Amino acid sequence: MKNIRTYLYSVLLLCAGTLAACNDDPETEPAYVETGAPTFTANKRGLAADGETLHIDVKSNTYWIIRQQEADDWFTLSPQAGSGSQEVAVTIAANTGQERSATLVFETEHGQMQRITLRQEGHGNTIRFFNDDFGTGASALPVAQFEGWNRNGIGSLRCQYWGNDVNADSGQASSGYVGASGGNGIVFAADSANFILGGIALKGDINFNLSFGCMTSQAAFDPAQFQVFFSKDRVNWTPIAYDRSSGAGWEAVSIPFYLPEGIDQLYIRFLGRKAGAYRLDDVTLAEGDGRGETITFVEDIVEYEEIPVFNEAFDWCVGPNSTLPGNDGSNMTTVSNRNGWEGNLVYMHSGFPKIGTSSGLGYLTSPAMAAVGEKRVDVTVTFNVAIMGSDQSDMQLIVLNSGSVEGSESKTFTIESDNYWETRSCVVNGATKETRIRFSAIRAKGNRFYIDNVKASFTEVKEKS
């Protein structure tokens, strides 16, 4: 009898434990369906703000269905019902009339509901492919470091920015024209400073209007000093003419135009030719209104040929050591007629010269740019340079006879390491057949450097045959 009682007691304990475990189960989560936003808006072509098909992000833990309060036929939903969280694609027809809207009800099998409004802009609304007012609060911040871009528009999703000698800055904020945003603008801080934005998706359109605000700190605005270019590949650039008054203050510019069929994206380049003299703001690319001429891209009618001016490897330098720093070779205190090169305090290593002494200012001057012929061109110069030991880290390129470099007769280069080759480049603007360039120390004492592989060339444009 004792054994039977013990068994029954054990069974009762087991059942009690099982019941207690069942009572510890969490309650089932209530059914729900959510869509995040109360309103979803498409433009008149049925596209979302980023230029893609409109999507509704549904969050739910149960079955749901979408009901329309009225029978609208200007959009379709896929799927129209589902289980759990998923994305609903909304395909919307183009709207040639007034703004329209529809109410959608997301309802669960348990009766929970979420109402949203689906809205589409009317035919009178202008579509923006790209717009940026460049935000606020920057102070002379280089484009490469600026993170306050404020781009929007149906073609702006993959738009990028590039620039040399251009800064985002909130000084002299834009004003005085419709849509002037104030805040930051783009400052062209050096001669021949470039600001490029692009990769703007065109969504199959061909008629556009480009608008922007611009100003100058000079007495009058000169479009020749502030130029606009278009490109379809960020390689070839077509100059674009525009009209603007000569007033110095802020003013809006509008350029209506057509593009040839089949162009998928557009790049826009702004060139400021006078250091610190021009500012840019509120760049917008919008759909056109039927005005403007068709752009003829230069690469469709011309071809480019790179013309060498000189390519000096200094093979005529014969010295005892080809390494850096190496021992000095023959003392060519005065150099004359070595492939047209001349100089002072030049020493030969094997395959490259050293310029200057510990107490003497040296220089090396190129031959004249005879290949330029009877015209003025922009010549690109590249060269290898190294500072000897721990000498002065700067050297300069000087333009002689005609032309300039960044609006001046000389440009200083700072070399970041001693006894190691670094490559530098610049553009000599307005070079002629008389132009020569000189590589020179800046001071006489302790400013020795090495030069090698000096190349100069310009691009010649020819009509396609």
Side-chain angles (χ1 to χ4, degrees), residues 46 87 91 127 187 223 269 342 372 403:
E87 198 173 63
T91 303
I127 292 177
V187 182
R269 171 186 167 205
E342 299 177 348
V372 170

Side-chain angles (χ1 to χ4, degrees), residues 115-131:
R115 284 182 173 82
I116 68 165
T117 299
L118 180 62
R119 173 179 169 270
Q120 186 181 25
E121 296 175 348
H123 75 283
N125 290 72
T126 299
I127 292 177
R128 288 184 174 183
F129 291 82
F130 170 86
N131 168 260

Side-chain angles (χ1 to χ4, degrees), residues 218-240:
Q218 300 186 114
F221 192 98
D222 182 2
Q225 296 293 311
F226 188 74
Q227 297 176 295
V228 181
F229 301 82
F230 288 168
S231 175
K232 49 188 175 181
D233 56 12
R234 205 161 64 89
V235 175
N236 302 288
W237 293 97
T238 300
I240 305 299

Side-chain angles (χ1 to χ4, degrees), residues 191 397-399 403-412 427-429:
D191 290 347
L397 182 147
I398 303 171
V399 180
S404 64
V405 53
E406 296 185 0
S408 178
E409 66 175 12
S410 67
K411 176 177 174 62
T412 298
V427 176
V428 177
N429 302 114

